[in-house]
Amino acid sequence: MPDQPGPDTPRVIRIRPEDNVAIVLNDGGLPAGTELPDGLRLAEAVPQGHKVNLIPFEEGTPIRRYGQMIGTAARAVPAGSWIEESLVRMPAAPSLGSLPLATAVPPPPPPLPGHTFEGYRNADGTAGTRNLLAISTSVQCVAGVVDVAVKRVRETLLPRYPNVDGVVALTHTYGCGVAINAPGAEVPVRTIRNLARNPNFGGAPLVVGLGCEKLAPEWLLAEQGRPAAGAGDAPGIVRLQDPSRQGFGPMVDAIVAAAGKRLEVLDRRRRVTCPAADLVVGVQCGGSDAFSGVTANPVVGFASDLLVRAGATVMFSEVTEVRDAIGMLTPRAASLDVARALVREMAWYDSYLERGEADRSANTTPGNKRGGLANIVEKALGSVVKSGTSAISGVLAPGERVREKGLIFAATPASDFICGTLQLASGMTLHVLTTGRGTPYGLAAVPVLKISSRSELSRRWPDLIDLDAGRVATGEASIEQLGWELFLLMLDIASGRRQSWAEHWGLANELSLFNPGPVT
Ligand code: CA
């Protein structure tokens, strides 16, 4: 948390009138004895982003934030106390059996016509925000060779193709040494397959395989399921064990040659004006704090609503950060089928965690807690705000391709890298990450915009944070103003008129597959 004491007056925020805690906004927190604007005096010092109780708590008093119960008081404390983590007893997760399904479907929002971006149109109707050559891989064994080949492509070929933005190696740890027929294996397999089909790669995936792996390269070129045995060598596959190649040099040459053919095609593409409806934006949070749900996530939620009004696709994710707020989401499902699909994904994840003898409380990090988030309930209530207020029009299982427009729940773990990888597989072309604690996250395949929940972080990382939502807490800007600012920034970045900081610096985290199946 920031060190410098703010010279300004004490500021706290209570989200809903029924809340009995408020969040301290001042940089550096507030000392004991501080008189709050409503006359309450702090019984002890409260750090920035942390909670203060506005009424005396008995043991068992329900603690309310966002108008919801985030837990009960573990012991009696006077009003004005610092409600730190050990004072908050976490409630049980909401039962999945009795949720309201599609009972409060928001009406279709007023259309928002006239907004466009300059994108790369694909044969399947999708539109990319970047023009990238992707080299996919069927197995980790080939990753080293692919990396050498990619380096050579960047150095010797790419300068000759000025309309191509870059080369991305889709390397990962899957492909062999795994139980590929076990339940759960379909998740990494379809993720790898769909990653190569991301709209930013222009179609026609190029796959490097080894030759003896379980995940045969042909699987990755098939639309779905598994191709018949002996499908043979398709164009677009380079197999390193091909007996016609003697040694390492010819392997690299073969990849570089195949890349050259793809670059010829990609270089002929040009940006064309596309309606904002062709955008596919994935949103998630990373390194959240108690401000995330008050500043950054509501700004993203406002921008999500604008995107939905413009006809675009917005994916929100992170099952463990949705689970405790599921009762607020199932009523918003556009149909009973969508509501049941939401419940299905929650139930699948519950049993996945159970098998690992964990539950959703494993989600919160030490940094979340230092940032003021007592538990996963509080984190989830602040997290789902990113979804805005639109009807939820579809649900994707992990790694499935998105086909509908509107607000989509794409089920993924909350891990930034796994969520980002799965949203890429689903077809995301622009990524928005909100952060409170600060993470320098980036992805090679799409621009990643980072939004800080506090201005202190934006000042400390001026060349990493793209938009400072802390201005909501300081009163410098409203959620609506910053939501519009984000919406327009997304269109600029999608069009290549601007780069996000992560893109500017070439920051890219590795892809990280979700593999719920056994490893052999
Ligand atoms: Ca995350």
Side-chain angles (χ1 to χ4, degrees), residues 346-375:
M346 297 298 120
W348 185 93
Y349 216 91
D350 278 358
S351 71
Y352 164 72
L353 288 173
E354 242 171 67
R355 286 201 300 280
E357 299 188 5
D359 65 25
R360 87 280 195 217
S361 69
N363 172 300
T364 39
T365 66
N368 290 154
K369 291 179 174 180
R370 273 196 301 278
L373 293 173
N375 59 30

Coordinates of all heavy atoms in Angstrom, one line a residue, residues 346-375:
M346 N -20.5 -23.9 -13.0 CA -20.2 -23.8 -11.5 C -20.1 -25.2 -10.9 O -19.1 -25.4 -10.1 CB -21.3 -23.0 -10.8 CG -21.5 -21.5 -11.2 SD -20.1 -20.5 -11.0 CE -19.8 -20.0 -12.7
A347 N -21.0 -26.0 -11.2 CA -21.0 -27.4 -10.6 C -19.8 -28.2 -11.1 O -19.2 -28.9 -10.3 CB -22.3 -28.1 -11.0
W348 N -19.5 -28.0 -12.4 CA -18.3 -28.7 -12.9 C -17.0 -28.3 -12.1 O -16.2 -29.1 -11.7 CB -18.1 -28.4 -14.4 CG -16.9 -29.2 -15.0 CD1 -17.0 -30.4 -15.6 CD2 -15.5 -28.8 -15.0 NE1 -15.8 -30.8 -16.0 CE2 -14.8 -29.9 -15.6 CE3 -14.8 -27.8 -14.5 CZ2 -13.5 -29.9 -15.8 CZ3 -13.4 -27.7 -14.7 CH2 -12.8 -28.8 -15.3
Y349 N -16.9 -27.0 -11.8 CA -15.8 -26.5 -11.1 C -15.8 -26.9 -9.7 O -14.7 -27.1 -9.1 CB -15.7 -24.9 -11.3 CG -14.2 -24.5 -11.4 CD1 -13.6 -24.4 -12.7 CD2 -13.5 -24.2 -10.3 CE1 -12.3 -24.0 -12.8 CE2 -12.1 -23.8 -10.4 CZ -11.6 -23.7 -11.7 OH -10.2 -23.4 -11.8
D350 N -17.0 -26.9 -9.1 CA -17.0 -27.3 -7.7 C -16.5 -28.7 -7.5 O -15.7 -29.0 -6.6 CB -18.5 -27.4 -7.2 CG -19.0 -26.0 -6.8 OD1 -18.3 -25.0 -6.8 OD2 -20.2 -25.9 -6.4
S351 N -16.8 -29.6 -8.5 CA -16.4 -31.0 -8.4 C -14.9 -31.1 -8.7 O -14.2 -31.9 -8.2 CB -17.2 -32.0 -9.2 OG -17.0 -31.7 -10.6
Y352 N -14.4 -30.2 -9.6 CA -13.0 -30.2 -10.0 C -12.2 -29.8 -8.7 O -11.2 -30.4 -8.4 CB -12.8 -29.2 -11.1 CG -11.4 -28.8 -11.3 CD1 -10.4 -29.6 -11.9 CD2 -10.9 -27.5 -11.0 CE1 -9.1 -29.2 -12.0 CE2 -9.6 -27.1 -11.2 CZ -8.7 -28.0 -11.7 OH -7.4 -27.6 -11.9
L353 N -12.6 -28.8 -8.0 CA -11.9 -28.3 -6.8 C -12.0 -29.4 -5.7 O -11.0 -29.6 -5.0 CB -12.5 -27.0 -6.3 CG -12.2 -25.8 -7.1 CD1 -13.0 -24.6 -6.6 CD2 -10.7 -25.5 -7.1
E354 N -13.2 -30.1 -5.6 CA -13.4 -31.1 -4.6 C -12.4 -32.2 -4.8 O -11.8 -32.7 -3.8 CB -14.8 -31.7 -4.7 CG -15.7 -31.5 -3.5 CD -17.1 -31.8 -3.8 OE1 -17.3 -33.1 -4.1 OE2 -17.9 -30.9 -3.9
R355 N -12.2 -32.6 -6.1 CA -11.2 -33.7 -6.3 C -9.8 -33.3 -5.8 O -9.0 -34.2 -5.4 CB -11.1 -34.0 -7.8 CG -12.3 -34.7 -8.4 CD -12.0 -35.4 -9.7 NE -11.6 -34.5 -10.8 CZ -12.4 -33.8 -11.5 NH1 -13.7 -33.9 -11.4 NH2 -11.9 -33.0 -12.5
G356 N -9.5 -32.0 -5.9 CA -8.2 -31.6 -5.4 C -8.3 -31.2 -3.9 O -7.3 -30.6 -3.4
E357 N -9.4 -31.5 -3.2 CA -9.6 -31.2 -1.8 C -9.4 -29.8 -1.5 O -8.7 -29.4 -0.5 CB -8.7 -32.1 -0.9 CG -9.0 -33.6 -1.1 CD -8.2 -34.5 -0.1 OE1 -7.5 -34.0 0.7 OE2 -8.3 -35.7 -0.3
A358 N -9.9 -28.9 -2.4 CA -9.9 -27.5 -2.2 C -11.3 -26.9 -2.4 O -12.2 -27.7 -2.9 CB -8.9 -26.9 -3.2
D359 N -11.4 -25.7 -2.1 CA -12.7 -25.0 -2.5 C -12.4 -23.6 -3.0 O -11.2 -23.2 -3.1 CB -13.7 -25.0 -1.4 CG -13.3 -24.2 -0.2 OD1 -12.4 -23.3 -0.4 OD2 -13.7 -24.5 0.9
R360 N -13.4 -22.8 -3.3 CA -13.2 -21.5 -3.9 C -12.4 -20.6 -3.0 O -11.8 -19.6 -3.5 CB -14.5 -20.9 -4.3 CG -15.3 -20.1 -3.3 CD -16.1 -20.9 -2.3 NE -17.0 -20.0 -1.6 CZ -17.3 -20.1 -0.4 NH1 -16.8 -21.0 0.4 NH2 -18.2 -19.3 0.1
S361 N -12.2 -20.9 -1.7 CA -11.5 -20.0 -0.8 C -10.0 -20.1 -1.1 O -9.2 -19.3 -0.7 CB -11.7 -20.4 0.7 OG -11.1 -21.6 0.9
A362 N -9.5 -21.1 -1.9 CA -8.1 -21.2 -2.3 C -7.8 -20.1 -3.3 O -6.6 -19.9 -3.6 CB -7.9 -22.6 -3.0
N363 N -8.8 -19.3 -3.7 CA -8.5 -18.3 -4.8 C -7.7 -17.1 -4.2 O -6.8 -16.6 -4.8 CB -9.9 -17.8 -5.3 CG -9.7 -16.6 -6.3 OD1 -9.3 -15.6 -5.9 ND2 -10.1 -16.8 -7.5
T364 N -8.1 -16.6 -3.0 CA -7.5 -15.3 -2.6 C -6.0 -15.4 -2.3 O -5.6 -16.4 -1.8 CB -8.3 -14.8 -1.3 OG1 -8.5 -15.9 -0.5 CG2 -9.5 -14.1 -1.7
T365 N -5.3 -14.3 -2.6 CA -3.9 -14.4 -2.4 C -3.5 -13.5 -1.2 O -4.3 -12.7 -0.8 CB -3.2 -13.7 -3.7 OG1 -3.5 -12.4 -3.7 CG2 -3.6 -14.5 -4.9
P366 N -2.2 -13.6 -0.7 CA -1.8 -12.7 0.3 C -1.9 -11.2 -0.1 O -2.3 -10.4 0.7 CB -0.4 -13.1 0.6 CG -0.2 -14.5 0.1 CD -1.2 -14.6 -1.0
G367 N -1.7 -11.0 -1.4 CA -1.8 -9.6 -1.9 C -3.2 -9.1 -1.9 O -3.5 -7.9 -1.5
N368 N -4.1 -9.9 -2.3 CA -5.6 -9.6 -2.2 C -5.9 -9.1 -0.8 O -6.6 -8.1 -0.6 CB -6.5 -10.8 -2.5 CG -6.4 -11.2 -4.0 OD1 -6.7 -12.4 -4.2 ND2 -6.1 -10.3 -4.9
K369 N -5.4 -9.9 0.2 CA -5.8 -9.7 1.6 C -5.1 -8.4 2.1 O -5.8 -7.6 2.8 CB -5.5 -10.9 2.4 CG -6.4 -12.1 2.0 CD -6.2 -13.3 2.8 CE -7.3 -14.3 2.4 NZ -7.1 -15.6 3.1
R370 N -3.9 -8.2 1.8 CA -3.2 -7.0 2.2 C -3.9 -5.8 1.5 O -4.0 -4.7 2.1 CB -1.7 -7.0 1.7 CG -0.8 -7.6 2.8 CD 0.6 -7.3 2.5 NE 1.1 -7.7 1.2 CZ 1.5 -8.9 0.9 NH1 1.5 -9.9 1.8 NH2 1.9 -9.2 -0.3
G371 N -4.5 -6.0 0.3 CA -5.2 -4.9 -0.4 C -6.6 -4.7 0.2 O -7.3 -3.8 -0.3
G372 N -7.0 -5.5 1.2 CA -8.3 -5.2 1.9 C -9.4 -6.2 1.6 O -10.5 -6.0 2.1
L373 N -9.1 -7.2 0.8 CA -10.2 -8.2 0.5 C -10.1 -9.3 1.5 O -9.1 -10.0 1.6 CB -10.0 -8.8 -0.9 CG -10.2 -7.8 -2.1 CD1 -9.9 -8.4 -3.4 CD2 -11.7 -7.3 -2.1
A374 N -11.2 -9.4 2.3 CA -11.1 -10.3 3.4 C -11.2 -11.8 3.0 O -10.6 -12.7 3.5 CB -12.3 -10.0 4.4
N375 N -12.0 -12.0 1.9 CA -12.3 -13.4 1.5 C -12.8 -13.4 0.1 O -13.0 -12.4 -0.6 CB -13.2 -14.1 2.4 CG -14.6 -13.4 2.5 OD1 -15.0 -12.8 1.5 ND2 -15.3 -13.5 3.6

